[in-house]
Amino acid sequence: MKFVDRFFEAKMITLTNLQLDAIFAHANEAKPDECCGLIGGRDNKALSTYPLHNVAPNPHLAYEAASDDLFAAQRQMRERDEQLIAIYHSHPRSAEPFPSQTDVRLAYYPQAVYFIVGFDAGRPVMRAFHISERDELWQEVEYAIADE
């Protein structure tokens, strides 16, 4: 697994404070397990968050979205004319979250931004990444918070 600077096409996702709060709440509720979810939107602007149930065999160390939740979220995105723009999950025991080897190996959606939530002294911290599973590369990217 390698970090690469400027490998990926720049794409900044914009979230609202309500969406950020919903992601943080999901991550906090799931502790000590990892949480996971999808973010749907258009033109890199988040419109909806879709919290999913983590059904990984060891949810303390990994995430795997429940297939029923995943299919329902994808169906709702189609109905709302949204695309998958981001995927989020948490690393509950990390103050500075970065993609793990497992995160990189399972990053099957290279067009999506991957958000990872960690906790620093109990406060949520979120970072965003472009991840290429095929090339085993990742790059931290910026995201914006903008309420309308």
Side-chain angles (χ1 to χ4, degrees), residues 41-42 47 75-83:
R42 279 185 234 105
L47 299 174
R75 184 174 47 256
Q76 285 182 316
M77 277 188 239
R78 280 192 304 276
E79 290 169 359
R80 295 174 177 170
D81 193 30
E82 297 174 350
Q83 296 92 32

Side-chain angles (χ1 to χ4, degrees), residues 15 20 23-24 88 97 115-118 124-128 143 145:
L15 301 163
L20 186 65
I23 293 167
F24 286 169
Y88 72 87
F115 288 104
I116 305 176
V117 177
V125 175
M126 188 165 75
R127 291 200 165 112
Y143 64 94
I145 305 297

